Amino acid sequence: MHIVGTLLPIETRTSHRGSILYIISLILIVGVTLTGVSPANAQESVTVFEVLQQDINQDGNPDLAIIDCSFTTPNDRVTVLDQGNDMVWSQNWKSATDFENDIWIFDAYADDLAELIVVFGYEGDGQVAYFYDDQDGDGHVEYMLAGTTIHITESNHWSLSVETPRGWFQPDGTLDLNLTFLFDGPSSALWFWSESRQDWLLKLDGSPDWQCTVADVNRDNNPESEVCTCLAPTPGGNISRAWVEVNVGAHRPQPLPGPIFWPFLDSVERVPTHNYFDFVPGVVVDWSQATIMQAGVTGYPIEAGFHIQSWENLVSDQVNNTDFENPQAYYDLANDEDNLPELHIRMHQLNADTYFSFDSKLRTPINEIRYSWNQSNTPNLRWDYKIGLAGQHSIDTVIDVQEFLIKSVPYAELPTWVTMQTWDYATFVANEEWPGLSAEGTYAWAPVFYANLYNGQPLFENDRVFDPEAVRVFPLHYTGLTDQSLAPFFNDILPGLRGEYSFALNGQPYLYYSPIDGRLHLLGAQKGIWNLADGNGRIEYDNINQDSYIDQWTYWLDGEALGSLSVSHNWLILGIRNEVIVSRIDVPESLFVTLPPATFEEWSALGEKLQAGRHDLDPRDLEAMITQFGEPVTRIKDAVLRDFRPTDRGFRFVLELSPGFQTIEGEDRLGVQELAPGKYAVEYEEVFQIQPLTPAWPALVPGSLRVEGEAIALQPTHIIAALQNKGLEDTEIISAYLHMAKASSTDQVIDETEVTLLAGEESQVSFIWVPPTAGQWEGWLAVGDKETRQLLTVEKLTVEVAAAPQPNLHWALERVGVAKGSWAILGLGFGLAAIAVVLFSLALQSLGRKEVE
Amino acid sequence: MKQPDKRFAQPDKDNMRNLVLLILYALGVGIYFVFRFGGNWMEIDTARLTRSAQGVFIEATVAPAGKAYDHGFSYPVTIAWLAHLTGVSVLRLQTIILPVAGMVTLTLAAAALFQTVLGKSSLALLATLLLYLQADFLFVTSRGSHEKLTWPLAMVAILLLYRSATRPQGLKSFAIYVVLFYLTIYAMISTNSFFASTLITAILVSFLLGLAINKWHARLKKRATPDHFQRLAIISASSMILLYLSLFYLYAPARNVLSILPTMVDRIATLLLGFQPQANPYAYIGWGWVSSWVYFGLTLLTWLLLFGSLVEWICQGYQLLRGAKLHLPEALPWLLYAGFAAQVGVATVMDFAGVLSANLQLRVLPGLTTFAVILAVQGLHRLLFSSGLGSRVRRLLCIGFALLIVWFVFASLLKATNDPVVSNKWSFYHAAERAALQWTNAHLQHTSMWVGMDERLSTVYSVLYSTVPGYENIVVDTGAPPSLDRYFLLSETERLRHTRLKMTLPMVASENQVYDNGETQLYYKRPQTPYQR
């Protein structure tokens, strides 16, 4: 930066001429403050002690103003260098200086070291401010002042420029909020790019790297949007290249809380946590580091509005296939205008035909929805419920932001769009006890991306992904690249949260209200967990008959199941401690079914229904879930219930009666009164039937062990068998082992598979065997664990393994290369050999001749 | 060292006949290389340079996006230029025409170099023949790699260096040789900066060795010996500057090669400090050939060449140590042999460190081979025509060598083509496999497909379809079948190869067969989740 001036002896004097102007200005400023955002506020946060001026070039007019003041510490200084020959003598800094052609040197601590230099100037009809902040990490901006010439040696280029097409102020004195921010080089203000990425891709080279444009089209001090686009060339991959923020609710921004002379400049410590569009766009500086920390529209999130963060950059005059966070939208669902949203929707959007992982492209688009709402309207960013959804919908609607055409679901339609679509699978999270807050809804149990299981935990810890396996597997599963089950990843959740999932939703995300536990559940949920706060254990929810409703609640503490309540065919069956309680009820499976609220009316209605059905049952008190209905119960003391499961037309379980057992309450509905202590299988089909339990007895279904297809050496072969359980007790998960052996060799376990054999039912098992050699092999099956295997087959399976064809000489000559060209190839080879021998002979002959010579 | 036979510089009828026969032999080798598999062959480097040339052809730039050849632009540009000029496709040029045509260029360059260096056309004939019988040299110059240009350029560069150092000569001819030399060196750098650097390094080592010998002579004679070798230092320094300019200013993609340096240093440090090999460059021998004996049979000439040339190098070195004069250019073969041999030694260490696919010594070996044949032929000449050898023994030796040459011809052809009769690393493909790949390209999208245990078919797919829109929509996988692949392409050829190597085939018996042309089948794994349909 070179600004040429003249080095002359300095004459210093103070001026008293501006006092009248000062008073007039003050009156004007106060006046316009009442009508809009005005520069008047600029005075409030800065205390000016004294203004000293110097006439450096001795032309009778001042060229330099030194303002002793306090803008971040009790004792700061600002030096203003006139570049337009229009500085006047005045003790009022506003009369003496301007934001049109002056250079402002900000010196926090008044230690003669600059922390920021702002060069004001004109750019066409508009005005511009060029910012120089610290670039070498020494906490200062180096410069040299010689007369009226300043040499900014910190860097050759500004790091930020702020432009306005007409001027900083509108004719009525209010601020013109149509501003363009240009960033050059790495900057803390570009917080969405990591420091390493910035160092890699952004260079302070005089060529701007990012541009953010704030639009206040009707100049009512109520900006509609900000659009940021990356100007720097970037390599391929998932990098944020565009940001859009839209002030849908027409939220009116306030002046910056502590403007420093220029109404768009503030200190980082003075700007409180705020939403975007809470304050006018500006430049926020950390004076202790001499660094611009924020620039443009700042704050997060908003009560009514949305933002888009896209990997695809925005291009004018074309429809942009915006992706990634498209959008994150916030809604004032409670219509309370409390500057806090009650609904947050984040759509993670990937477009079809874009790179995804492992160099593969997506066949279809992917949308992951995070739909969180604050049903209790607490005065903070708490989210009571969240629905996570995975879908493959194309987004074809186009919105217009600052004349950029963006493919996105329009803000007003988005909530209904989400609830009315069909989704492949869903998660549901209820915040029962978790105290955490979030500006982006509830993270926990994301269906596809960034599947960090614990809400509030960082996605990355020490630069390592918190749960790399989940992050890897989820997208692969959803795109069909792996059949690895997702269920194991949903086996835990942050304390205080209750989560449920359905991997086979294939529909709208309905919720239902269970009369059993008095809580909202995901309709069609396959399983759920409530991780009780304060180490109180957890409740596991199961849908054991695989219909739409949760029908089993199990309370776990320290790895022990303390009770399990099952609902089937209007019966409530509870096994708890040393008792079994049975009761018949006549209540529906759900009190109401609803979609997540998308409007104020739906939100209010849901709130009323939840309030009406509120039970306040202790989730651990499974017995209370039975007795709340006031129906008669059968209570058997000294009895244990286990292995409850549905059957084709009823249900069954195992009842263990201890010595001294008795029915201590209600009638003997199970018919146990005359039974001796022992283990019994209880089956219900219209009536209860009870019979002594026989142990699980795995057996091979005769004739079922066979080879599928022809067995060929070195080629994988399927061997299948049907197993059955002849006992009345279900097996645990057991292993079935296939043994194969060739005659006169020791047998070896070839493959094992896990299977559960239900009492009286058959199950097919399949093994893969790769015969190492041809010949006759024998095989047999066993079940059990590694130590105790029970032989299942009496007769052995005999397998004739054919030899695999080998690549022989005939094949190499006849099938490889030109058909029937083997003789030509051989002939060519021999011909070459002949030529080589001739050449060798000729060489020797010639050498011999020469030796003789 | 003997002065070259000046009389031999005049071509005569015998020379012409010999040259024609040599070219005939070279053409025959090229034709064999192409038509052994009916033109259906491909390997990694050929595929890579073919894709690069296709990129140059389509994008009309020396550095096509995503396809620029890291080490140099000349070869892809040459191929693209030939394709434009002749209207023949890049693929056809690479796999059918250039393997044959390139042999003529190589023959001329090699014969010219050997005749200049060895001084006798009969020795040059023998050396050229030996070069063609060395299977590794034959392989790298026959396939569609830059080495088809690189090694002839290296030979021309050494020839020019040799000529420029020949005394006496006028300033004009000297200047012409010098200018042509540096043009050739730059051509080599622009073809492959790494290979060019090996030649430059060899010249540098030659200088140092020459300097050491001269010092030794000075000590022997107790007086200063004129230092003839400073020119080699100037040449290597100038060539290094050319290399630097090319890397940092002329061809940006070449800088990518520098990115491997930190890894290289790390790996070598691990090897040297930890005494723990990071890779076994010879593991390939164990499975790459039907047996180790077959491998040694096929490479017998290489071992004989290395041994013979080493013996000759030691003999000549012994003479030097005893005071024989070391003159440029006659000493160049002896010095450059040492320069390349030293690099083969270093490359062996780097191979054990696992740097650059652990086959660095194979890349440097052709350079050594060029000078090994010179020394070996000198040694053979010395052996056959030494005065102590009776004519009967000489005759028997000649017959024995002739029989060996017959074997070397077949061995070189079998090894250079990776013939399935002896090799397990196949580079051919069946027309039916190509048809199956064509079908998959037309019908599959956004999926991954397993095509075999190695790159045999994936390289074919890449050169056939890398210029077709949607090419990147199919990931072609190789190796042990990973769980992410949904499609499996299994051909009779691949089945036989698995059997040969006693490797287990993918389990496809119960999967959906979606394509079958008799020789090749495509299987689609049964969906296990709703998202795999």
Side-chain angles (χ1 to χ4, degrees), chain A residues 353 355 361 363 425 480-481 483 716 718 805-806 812 815 832 839-840 844 847 849 851, chain B residues 14 25 36 122 125 381 398 401 405 446 472-473 484 496 499 505 507 510 519 528 531-532:
Chain A
D353 220 27
Y355 279 104
K361 283 185 165 182
R363 278 181 294 178
Y425 65 87
L481 290 172
D483 50 25
H718 264 306
Q806 290 282 344
R815 295 294 309 280
L832 286 169
L839 282 168
F840 179 68
L844 288 187
L847 282 173
R849 203 166 50 232
E851 288 298 319
Chain B
D14 285 354
Y25 181 81
R36 167 64 184 96
S122 45
L125 172 68
H381 183 223
C398 289
F401 279 125
I405 280 174
H446 302 110
E472 66 276 14
N473 290 345
L484 295 185
L496 288 170
T499 307
L505 283 161
M507 178 76 206
S510 55
E519 158 78 19
Q528 302 296 314
Y531 314 112
Q532 293 184 327

Short mmCIF file of all heavy atoms in Angstrom, two decimals, chain A residues 353 355 361 363 425 480-481 483 716 718 805-806 812 815 832 839-840 844 847 849 851, chain B residues 14 25 36 122 125 381 398 401 405 446 472-473 484 496 499 505 507 510 519 528 531-532:
data_model
loop_
_atom_site.label_atom_id
_atom_site.label_comp_id
_atom_site.label_asym_id
_atom_site.label_seq_id
_atom_site.Cartn_x
_atom_site.Cartn_y
_atom_site.Cartn_z
N ASP A 353 -25.83 -38.54 -9.31
CA ASP A 353 -24.73 -38.42 -10.25
C ASP A 353 -23.57 -37.58 -9.70
O ASP A 353 -22.77 -37.05 -10.48
CB ASP A 353 -25.21 -37.82 -11.58
CG ASP A 353 -24.55 -38.51 -12.76
OD1 ASP A 353 -24.18 -39.68 -12.62
OD2 ASP A 353 -24.39 -37.86 -13.81
N TYR A 355 -20.29 -37.46 -6.88
CA TYR A 355 -19.42 -38.41 -6.19
C TYR A 355 -19.84 -38.55 -4.74
O TYR A 355 -20.22 -37.59 -4.09
CB TYR A 355 -17.96 -37.96 -6.28
CG TYR A 355 -17.34 -38.32 -7.59
CD1 TYR A 355 -17.13 -37.37 -8.57
CD2 TYR A 355 -17.00 -39.64 -7.86
CE1 TYR A 355 -16.56 -37.72 -9.79
CE2 TYR A 355 -16.45 -40.00 -9.07
CZ TYR A 355 -16.23 -39.03 -10.02
OH TYR A 355 -15.68 -39.40 -11.22
N LYS A 361 -20.44 -42.90 -7.76
CA LYS A 361 -21.43 -41.83 -7.84
C LYS A 361 -22.79 -42.34 -7.39
O LYS A 361 -23.08 -43.53 -7.46
CB LYS A 361 -21.52 -41.33 -9.27
CG LYS A 361 -20.37 -40.43 -9.67
CD LYS A 361 -20.60 -39.90 -11.06
CE LYS A 361 -19.69 -38.74 -11.36
NZ LYS A 361 -19.96 -38.20 -12.71
N ARG A 363 -26.65 -43.11 -7.53
CA ARG A 363 -27.67 -43.38 -8.54
C ARG A 363 -28.84 -42.43 -8.37
O ARG A 363 -29.45 -41.99 -9.32
CB ARG A 363 -28.18 -44.83 -8.39
CG ARG A 363 -27.29 -45.83 -9.06
CD ARG A 363 -27.86 -47.21 -8.91
NE ARG A 363 -27.86 -47.62 -7.51
CZ ARG A 363 -28.33 -48.78 -7.06
NH1 ARG A 363 -28.88 -49.61 -7.90
NH2 ARG A 363 -28.27 -49.09 -5.79
N TYR A 425 -36.45 -44.77 5.71
CA TYR A 425 -36.40 -45.15 7.12
C TYR A 425 -36.30 -43.92 8.00
O TYR A 425 -36.09 -42.81 7.51
CB TYR A 425 -35.31 -46.18 7.41
CG TYR A 425 -33.88 -45.80 7.22
CD1 TYR A 425 -33.16 -45.19 8.25
CD2 TYR A 425 -33.22 -46.13 6.05
CE1 TYR A 425 -31.82 -44.89 8.09
CE2 TYR A 425 -31.87 -45.83 5.89
CZ TYR A 425 -31.18 -45.22 6.90
OH TYR A 425 -29.86 -44.93 6.74
N GLY A 480 -26.71 -49.00 -0.69
CA GLY A 480 -26.68 -50.39 -1.13
C GLY A 480 -25.29 -50.96 -1.31
O GLY A 480 -25.14 -52.05 -1.83
N LEU A 481 -24.29 -50.24 -0.89
CA LEU A 481 -22.93 -50.73 -1.08
C LEU A 481 -22.53 -51.74 -0.01
O LEU A 481 -21.52 -52.41 -0.14
CB LEU A 481 -21.94 -49.56 -1.10
CG LEU A 481 -22.05 -48.67 -2.34
CD1 LEU A 481 -21.18 -47.44 -2.21
CD2 LEU A 481 -21.64 -49.45 -3.59
N ASP A 483 -24.38 -54.58 3.01
CA ASP A 483 -25.59 -55.06 3.67
C ASP A 483 -25.36 -55.15 5.18
O ASP A 483 -26.16 -55.74 5.90
CB ASP A 483 -26.03 -56.41 3.11
CG ASP A 483 -24.89 -57.41 3.08
OD1 ASP A 483 -23.96 -57.26 3.88
OD2 ASP A 483 -24.93 -58.33 2.25
N PRO A 716 -16.16 -71.98 -4.57
CA PRO A 716 -17.04 -72.00 -3.40
C PRO A 716 -18.32 -72.77 -3.67
O PRO A 716 -18.93 -72.64 -4.73
CB PRO A 716 -17.34 -70.52 -3.16
CG PRO A 716 -16.27 -69.79 -3.86
CD PRO A 716 -15.89 -70.63 -5.04
N HIS A 718 -22.07 -74.18 -1.92
CA HIS A 718 -23.04 -74.05 -0.84
C HIS A 718 -23.39 -75.42 -0.29
O HIS A 718 -23.72 -76.33 -1.05
CB HIS A 718 -24.33 -73.41 -1.37
CG HIS A 718 -24.37 -71.94 -1.15
ND1 HIS A 718 -24.21 -71.36 0.07
CD2 HIS A 718 -24.59 -70.91 -2.01
CE1 HIS A 718 -24.31 -70.05 -0.03
NE2 HIS A 718 -24.53 -69.74 -1.30
N PRO A 805 -10.71 -77.34 -14.01
CA PRO A 805 -9.90 -77.37 -15.24
C PRO A 805 -8.66 -76.51 -15.11
O PRO A 805 -8.69 -75.44 -14.50
CB PRO A 805 -10.86 -76.81 -16.30
CG PRO A 805 -11.94 -76.12 -15.55
CD PRO A 805 -12.01 -76.73 -14.19
N GLN A 806 -7.56 -77.00 -15.67
CA GLN A 806 -6.29 -76.29 -15.58
C GLN A 806 -5.94 -75.64 -16.92
O GLN A 806 -6.33 -76.14 -17.97
CB GLN A 806 -5.17 -77.29 -15.23
CG GLN A 806 -5.23 -77.83 -13.83
CD GLN A 806 -4.70 -76.85 -12.79
OE1 GLN A 806 -4.02 -75.89 -13.12
NE2 GLN A 806 -5.04 -77.08 -11.52
N ALA A 812 -3.48 -72.87 -23.97
CA ALA A 812 -2.64 -71.67 -24.15
C ALA A 812 -2.38 -71.39 -25.62
O ALA A 812 -2.24 -70.24 -26.03
CB ALA A 812 -1.33 -71.84 -23.40
N ARG A 815 -6.69 -71.46 -27.44
CA ARG A 815 -7.76 -70.57 -26.99
C ARG A 815 -7.27 -69.16 -26.72
O ARG A 815 -8.06 -68.23 -26.64
CB ARG A 815 -8.41 -71.13 -25.71
CG ARG A 815 -9.15 -72.45 -25.88
CD ARG A 815 -10.39 -72.29 -26.78
NE ARG A 815 -11.26 -71.21 -26.37
CZ ARG A 815 -12.13 -71.27 -25.38
NH1 ARG A 815 -12.27 -72.39 -24.74
NH2 ARG A 815 -12.88 -70.22 -25.05
N LEU A 832 12.30 -66.76 -35.99
CA LEU A 832 13.13 -65.79 -35.28
C LEU A 832 14.39 -66.45 -34.74
O LEU A 832 15.48 -65.87 -34.78
CB LEU A 832 12.34 -65.15 -34.14
CG LEU A 832 11.28 -64.14 -34.58
CD1 LEU A 832 10.37 -63.76 -33.43
CD2 LEU A 832 11.95 -62.88 -35.14
N LEU A 839 22.40 -64.59 -37.56
CA LEU A 839 23.06 -63.35 -37.17
C LEU A 839 24.29 -63.64 -36.32
O LEU A 839 25.37 -63.06 -36.52
CB LEU A 839 22.09 -62.44 -36.41
CG LEU A 839 21.08 -61.68 -37.25
CD1 LEU A 839 20.01 -61.05 -36.37
CD2 LEU A 839 21.78 -60.58 -38.06
N PHE A 840 24.14 -64.56 -35.39
CA PHE A 840 25.25 -64.93 -34.52
C PHE A 840 26.41 -65.51 -35.34
O PHE A 840 27.58 -65.15 -35.16
CB PHE A 840 24.75 -65.94 -33.48
CG PHE A 840 25.81 -66.42 -32.52
CD1 PHE A 840 26.36 -65.54 -31.60
CD2 PHE A 840 26.26 -67.73 -32.55
CE1 PHE A 840 27.34 -65.98 -30.71
CE2 PHE A 840 27.23 -68.17 -31.68
CZ PHE A 840 27.77 -67.28 -30.74
N LEU A 844 30.19 -64.06 -35.86
CA LEU A 844 31.39 -64.82 -35.53
C LEU A 844 32.29 -64.97 -36.74
O LEU A 844 33.51 -64.86 -36.65
CB LEU A 844 30.99 -66.19 -34.98
CG LEU A 844 30.38 -66.21 -33.58
CD1 LEU A 844 30.19 -67.65 -33.11
CD2 LEU A 844 31.28 -65.47 -32.59
N LEU A 847 34.03 -61.77 -37.34
CA LEU A 847 35.06 -61.55 -36.32
C LEU A 847 36.27 -62.44 -36.60
O LEU A 847 37.42 -62.01 -36.51
CB LEU A 847 34.52 -61.83 -34.92
CG LEU A 847 33.64 -60.74 -34.31
CD1 LEU A 847 33.03 -61.22 -33.00
CD2 LEU A 847 34.46 -59.49 -34.07
N ARG A 849 37.18 -63.68 -39.39
CA ARG A 849 37.87 -63.20 -40.57
C ARG A 849 38.79 -62.03 -40.21
O ARG A 849 39.94 -61.97 -40.62
CB ARG A 849 36.84 -62.78 -41.62
CG ARG A 849 37.41 -62.79 -43.03
CD ARG A 849 36.32 -62.70 -44.09
NE ARG A 849 35.40 -61.63 -43.86
CZ ARG A 849 34.10 -61.76 -43.81
NH1 ARG A 849 33.56 -62.97 -43.96
NH2 ARG A 849 33.31 -60.73 -43.61
N GLU A 851 40.01 -61.37 -37.30
CA GLU A 851 41.14 -61.80 -36.48
C GLU A 851 42.26 -62.34 -37.35
O GLU A 851 43.43 -62.08 -37.11
CB GLU A 851 40.67 -62.88 -35.48
CG GLU A 851 39.82 -62.35 -34.35
CD GLU A 851 40.55 -61.34 -33.50
OE1 GLU A 851 41.74 -61.55 -33.21
OE2 GLU A 851 39.93 -60.31 -33.14
N ASP B 14 28.26 -56.18 -46.26
CA ASP B 14 28.00 -57.05 -45.11
C ASP B 14 27.24 -56.30 -44.02
O ASP B 14 26.31 -56.83 -43.41
CB ASP B 14 29.32 -57.57 -44.53
CG ASP B 14 29.90 -58.65 -45.42
OD1 ASP B 14 29.19 -59.03 -46.39
OD2 ASP B 14 31.02 -59.08 -45.14
N TYR B 25 14.72 -59.28 -37.83
CA TYR B 25 14.53 -59.97 -36.55
C TYR B 25 13.67 -59.12 -35.60
O TYR B 25 12.73 -59.61 -34.97
CB TYR B 25 15.88 -60.26 -35.90
CG TYR B 25 15.73 -61.00 -34.58
CD1 TYR B 25 15.52 -62.38 -34.56
CD2 TYR B 25 15.76 -60.31 -33.37
CE1 TYR B 25 15.35 -63.05 -33.36
CE2 TYR B 25 15.59 -60.98 -32.17
CZ TYR B 25 15.39 -62.35 -32.16
OH TYR B 25 15.20 -63.01 -30.99
N ARG B 36 0.82 -62.64 -30.74
CA ARG B 36 0.72 -63.81 -29.87
C ARG B 36 -0.69 -63.86 -29.27
O ARG B 36 -1.26 -64.92 -29.09
CB ARG B 36 1.79 -63.73 -28.76
CG ARG B 36 1.59 -64.73 -27.63
CD ARG B 36 1.73 -66.17 -28.13
NE ARG B 36 1.47 -67.18 -27.12
CZ ARG B 36 0.30 -67.80 -26.95
NH1 ARG B 36 -0.73 -67.52 -27.75
NH2 ARG B 36 0.16 -68.73 -26.02
N SER B 122 30.56 -56.41 -36.58
CA SER B 122 30.21 -57.76 -36.13
C SER B 122 29.93 -57.75 -34.62
O SER B 122 28.98 -58.40 -34.15
CB SER B 122 31.34 -58.73 -36.44
OG SER B 122 32.57 -58.13 -36.07
N LEU B 125 26.64 -56.05 -34.14
CA LEU B 125 25.57 -56.99 -34.51
C LEU B 125 25.28 -57.92 -33.33
O LEU B 125 24.12 -58.13 -32.95
CB LEU B 125 26.03 -57.78 -35.73
CG LEU B 125 25.16 -58.94 -36.18
CD1 LEU B 125 23.84 -58.43 -36.72
CD2 LEU B 125 25.88 -59.74 -37.27
N HIS B 381 34.28 -61.66 -27.10
CA HIS B 381 35.28 -61.55 -28.16
C HIS B 381 36.64 -61.95 -27.62
O HIS B 381 37.39 -62.72 -28.25
CB HIS B 381 35.29 -60.09 -28.67
CG HIS B 381 36.24 -59.88 -29.80
ND1 HIS B 381 37.06 -58.80 -29.90
CD2 HIS B 381 36.51 -60.65 -30.89
CE1 HIS B 381 37.80 -58.89 -30.99
NE2 HIS B 381 37.47 -60.01 -31.62
N CYS B 398 31.18 -72.10 -29.92
CA CYS B 398 30.28 -71.41 -30.85
C CYS B 398 28.98 -72.19 -31.02
O CYS B 398 27.89 -71.61 -31.04
CB CYS B 398 30.95 -71.23 -32.22
SG CYS B 398 32.27 -70.02 -32.16
N PHE B 401 26.97 -71.74 -27.89
CA PHE B 401 26.33 -70.42 -27.85
C PHE B 401 25.15 -70.35 -28.83
O PHE B 401 24.12 -69.76 -28.53
CB PHE B 401 27.35 -69.32 -28.16
CG PHE B 401 28.19 -68.95 -26.98
CD1 PHE B 401 29.56 -68.99 -27.03
CD2 PHE B 401 27.57 -68.55 -25.80
CE1 PHE B 401 30.33 -68.66 -25.93
CE2 PHE B 401 28.35 -68.20 -24.69
CZ PHE B 401 29.73 -68.27 -24.75
N ILE B 405 21.42 -69.52 -27.93
CA ILE B 405 20.68 -68.42 -28.56
C ILE B 405 19.28 -68.87 -28.98
O ILE B 405 18.30 -68.14 -28.82
CB ILE B 405 21.49 -67.84 -29.74
CG1 ILE B 405 22.56 -66.90 -29.17
CG2 ILE B 405 20.61 -67.09 -30.73
CD1 ILE B 405 23.54 -66.36 -30.15
N HIS B 446 -23.41 -46.45 -11.88
CA HIS B 446 -23.30 -46.16 -10.46
C HIS B 446 -23.20 -47.41 -9.62
O HIS B 446 -23.98 -47.66 -8.71
CB HIS B 446 -24.50 -45.34 -9.98
CG HIS B 446 -24.65 -44.06 -10.71
ND1 HIS B 446 -25.66 -43.84 -11.60
CD2 HIS B 446 -23.90 -42.95 -10.71
CE1 HIS B 446 -25.54 -42.63 -12.09
NE2 HIS B 446 -24.48 -42.07 -11.58
N GLU B 472 -16.80 -43.06 -15.31
CA GLU B 472 -16.50 -43.03 -13.89
C GLU B 472 -17.69 -43.52 -13.04
O GLU B 472 -17.58 -43.61 -11.82
CB GLU B 472 -16.09 -41.62 -13.44
CG GLU B 472 -17.16 -40.58 -13.54
CD GLU B 472 -17.29 -39.98 -14.93
OE1 GLU B 472 -16.73 -40.54 -15.89
OE2 GLU B 472 -17.97 -38.97 -15.07
N ASN B 473 -18.78 -43.83 -13.70
CA ASN B 473 -19.95 -44.30 -12.94
C ASN B 473 -19.82 -45.75 -12.51
O ASN B 473 -20.63 -46.25 -11.74
CB ASN B 473 -21.23 -44.12 -13.76
CG ASN B 473 -21.57 -42.66 -13.93
OD1 ASN B 473 -21.03 -41.82 -13.22
ND2 ASN B 473 -22.43 -42.35 -14.87
N LEU B 484 -18.05 -54.61 -0.97
CA LEU B 484 -18.80 -53.52 -1.56
C LEU B 484 -19.22 -53.80 -3.01
O LEU B 484 -20.09 -53.14 -3.53
CB LEU B 484 -17.99 -52.22 -1.53
CG LEU B 484 -17.68 -51.66 -0.15
CD1 LEU B 484 -16.98 -50.33 -0.26
CD2 LEU B 484 -18.95 -51.49 0.66
N LEU B 496 -9.55 -70.16 -14.91
CA LEU B 496 -8.36 -70.99 -15.09
C LEU B 496 -7.16 -70.39 -14.34
O LEU B 496 -6.35 -71.11 -13.75
CB LEU B 496 -8.02 -71.10 -16.58
CG LEU B 496 -8.98 -71.97 -17.39
CD1 LEU B 496 -8.71 -71.83 -18.87
CD2 LEU B 496 -8.86 -73.44 -16.96
N THR B 499 -7.45 -71.15 -10.77
CA THR B 499 -7.10 -72.55 -10.53
C THR B 499 -5.59 -72.71 -10.54
O THR B 499 -5.01 -73.38 -9.67
CB THR B 499 -7.71 -73.44 -11.62
OG1 THR B 499 -9.10 -73.17 -11.70
CG2 THR B 499 -7.49 -74.90 -11.31
N LEU B 505 -12.25 -68.69 -6.00
CA LEU B 505 -13.09 -67.80 -6.81
C LEU B 505 -14.16 -67.15 -5.95
O LEU B 505 -14.51 -67.66 -4.89
CB LEU B 505 -13.77 -68.62 -7.91
CG LEU B 505 -12.89 -69.00 -9.10
CD1 LEU B 505 -13.50 -70.16 -9.84
CD2 LEU B 505 -12.71 -67.81 -10.02
N MET B 507 -17.78 -66.28 -4.58
CA MET B 507 -18.97 -67.13 -4.45
C MET B 507 -20.09 -66.53 -5.31
O MET B 507 -20.69 -65.52 -4.95
CB MET B 507 -19.38 -67.15 -2.98
CG MET B 507 -20.62 -67.95 -2.71
SD MET B 507 -20.23 -69.69 -2.76
CE MET B 507 -21.80 -70.37 -3.20
N SER B 510 -24.89 -68.80 -6.20
CA SER B 510 -26.28 -68.53 -5.84
C SER B 510 -26.69 -67.09 -6.18
O SER B 510 -27.75 -66.65 -5.76
CB SER B 510 -26.48 -68.79 -4.35
OG SER B 510 -25.55 -68.02 -3.62
N GLU B 519 -18.20 -67.48 -22.75
CA GLU B 519 -16.85 -67.43 -22.14
C GLU B 519 -16.87 -66.64 -20.85
O GLU B 519 -16.14 -66.92 -19.90
CB GLU B 519 -15.88 -66.80 -23.14
CG GLU B 519 -14.62 -66.20 -22.57
CD GLU B 519 -13.55 -67.21 -22.22
OE1 GLU B 519 -13.63 -68.33 -22.74
OE2 GLU B 519 -12.65 -66.87 -21.42
N GLN B 528 -29.58 -57.86 -0.23
CA GLN B 528 -29.80 -58.23 1.17
C GLN B 528 -30.56 -57.13 1.92
O GLN B 528 -31.00 -57.35 3.04
CB GLN B 528 -28.46 -58.47 1.87
CG GLN B 528 -27.61 -59.53 1.21
CD GLN B 528 -28.25 -60.90 1.27
OE1 GLN B 528 -28.74 -61.32 2.30
NE2 GLN B 528 -28.27 -61.60 0.13
N TYR B 531 -32.05 -51.38 -0.18
CA TYR B 531 -31.27 -50.39 -0.94
C TYR B 531 -30.30 -51.04 -1.90
O TYR B 531 -29.53 -50.36 -2.57
CB TYR B 531 -30.54 -49.45 0.03
CG TYR B 531 -31.48 -48.99 1.11
CD1 TYR B 531 -31.31 -49.38 2.42
CD2 TYR B 531 -32.59 -48.20 0.78
CE1 TYR B 531 -32.22 -49.01 3.39
CE2 TYR B 531 -33.49 -47.83 1.75
CZ TYR B 531 -33.31 -48.24 3.06
OH TYR B 531 -34.21 -47.87 4.00
N GLN B 532 -30.32 -52.36 -1.95
CA GLN B 532 -29.43 -53.05 -2.89
C GLN B 532 -30.20 -53.55 -4.10
O GLN B 532 -29.65 -54.30 -4.91
CB GLN B 532 -28.73 -54.22 -2.18
CG GLN B 532 -27.76 -53.74 -1.12
CD GLN B 532 -26.98 -54.86 -0.48
OE1 GLN B 532 -27.49 -55.96 -0.33
NE2 GLN B 532 -25.75 -54.58 -0.09
#
